[in-house]
Amino acid sequence: MKKLHTFTHRERPFALLLKERLETEGIVCLLRNDELSSALGEIPFVECYPELWVVDGEVWPRARLLLEQWQGEVAETGENWTCPNCGESLEGQFQSCWKCGRECPG
């Protein structure tokens, strides 16, 4: 078993999402310390951080590569834009306006 990544408490939903995505790729993994936030104050807070572990060390390099690719997808959002049709402000990850359906002009 080998640790893949440590998350903060606020990143717990992201940790659960990544665990699920790895499992759909056939990589068996565990999310350790998932429920330890209730112990904050009794044990050091860094020991309560959720940790994603890969069970089979042989597939750890593949899991690491997938994790880096997915984190890159999150980071590669475009610039915020304003819909020229209705004036709605949208974040860069959206390719069309949620309000009127017009495609991003860029």
Side-chain angles (χ1 to χ4, degrees):
M1 209 160 64
K2 192 168 182 180
K3 184 166 52 171
L4 184 61
H5 192 75
T6 302
F7 301 88
T8 65
H9 297 292
R10 292 186 309 184
E11 295 173 322
R12 182 179 177 267
F14 188 57
L16 292 167
L17 175 70
L18 290 176
K19 177 183 182 291
E20 189 174 306
R21 286 187 79 176
L22 287 171
E23 288 173 343
T24 61
E25 293 287 333
I27 298 173
V28 180
C29 52
L30 301 171
L31 191 59
R32 300 182 73 186
N33 303 338
D34 185 34
E35 303 294 327
L36 280 182
S37 61
S38 61
L40 283 171
E42 296 177 28
I43 58 177
F45 70 94
V46 292
E47 292 182 23
C48 295
Y49 284 165
E51 298 173 343
L52 188 58
W53 288 73
V54 175
V55 174
D56 183 3
E58 296 286 321
V59 297
W60 186 89
R62 180 170 170 253
R64 183 81 206 148
L65 180 65
L66 289 169
L67 180 69
E68 288 171 0
Q69 287 174 348
W70 294 330
Q71 287 177 326
E73 287 175 10
V74 171
E76 289 179 13
T77 58
E79 293 183 29
N80 293 352
W81 60 285
T82 302
C83 178
N85 192 46
C86 69
E88 185 68 28
S89 295
L90 299 146
E91 294 179 6
Q93 73 258 23
F94 299 109
Q95 298 301 313
S96 61
C97 179
W98 67 270
K99 193 171 185 180
C100 70
R102 181 157 181 181
E103 293 292 316
C104 176

